[in-house]
Amino acid sequence: MRRAWSLFLSVCLSVAFGLNVSGQDKKTFAPEIESFADRLMSLSSDADQQKLLAENKSLASADLSELLHQRGNAFFGKRDFTNALKYDHARLLVANVLGDRHHVAEALLALGQTYNSRGESERASGYLTEAASVFRELGDRSEEHTSELQSRFG
């Protein structure tokens, strides 16, 4: 039952906030952003990734976040949830460095969707509930829907 609610909440949040989960409409990125993303993803620990981001704040950008999102979606589409989670988590780190709450919410949503697809509904629930909370905090549309889903789900 929890998995069904995770899936329901995930789909509702994606539809309500107009998020592109199909991987279409791919954007191209500057070579330095591509290279920096590769360096970031070559690091195995959060601490090392956070250190690299702190040392290269000029490269920690919305473009980097979007590139990580595209790559994560590509892995998700291939059902390679382990790599999708790595990219989604890195995207969350970038969003936090930027202080961009909207990108934080989108990264949390992606993490929740991926954990749900992996069959980890409890973990998915936490990320999806947190995403709904951040979206609501930002005043994004469908506030009443996220509140209702959160009360039913969480």
Side-chain angles (χ1 to χ4, degrees):
M1 182 67 165
R2 254 202 180 303
R3 183 175 165 97
W5 277 112
S6 290
L7 180 59
F8 180 69
L9 181 58
S10 173
V11 169
C12 288
L13 286 171
S14 294
V15 170
F17 299 110
L19 302 176
N20 178 11
V21 295
S22 68
Q24 297 173 354
D25 303 326
K26 287 191 176 184
K27 178 180 174 181
T28 56
F29 299 92
E32 61 271 13
I33 297 295
E34 295 265 359
S35 176
F36 185 70
D38 293 339
R39 281 186 24 217
L40 182 67
M41 296 311 298
S42 73
L43 301 172
S44 57
S45 76
D46 285 355
D48 289 342
Q49 287 181 329
Q50 288 172 333
K51 181 179 177 189
L52 183 64
L53 288 166
E55 292 169 350
N56 296 276
K57 286 188 178 180
S58 65
L59 293 173
S61 63
D63 277 350
L64 177 61
S65 179
E66 181 60 28
L67 175 59
L68 295 171
H69 175 63
Q70 280 186 11
R71 290 181 178 180
N73 270 353
F75 283 114
F76 185 89
K78 295 175 187 173
R79 302 192 56 79
D80 181 350
F81 301 130
T82 299
N83 280 314
L85 287 169
K86 288 177 186 176
Y87 279 90
D88 292 340
H89 188 69
R91 182 177 180 216
L92 180 60
L93 292 176
V94 171
N96 280 320
V97 166
L98 294 173
D100 185 331
R101 297 294 288 157
H102 185 79
H103 280 113
V104 165
E106 287 181 347
L108 291 167
L109 175 59
L111 284 161
Q113 290 171 321
T114 304
Y115 277 115
N116 187 61
S117 294
R118 257 173 80 145
E120 296 182 44
S121 57
E122 288 293 321
R123 201 163 192 183
S125 170
Y127 283 107
L128 295 171
T129 301
E130 191 174 352
S133 176
V134 175
F135 279 126
R136 191 172 49 254
E137 164 194 317
L138 295 171
D140 280 337
R141 61 186 192 268
S142 298
E143 178 178 323
E144 65 283 351
H145 297 295
T146 56
S147 295
E148 178 185 340
L149 289 168
Q150 194 172 20
S151 68
R152 281 187 187 175
F153 184 68

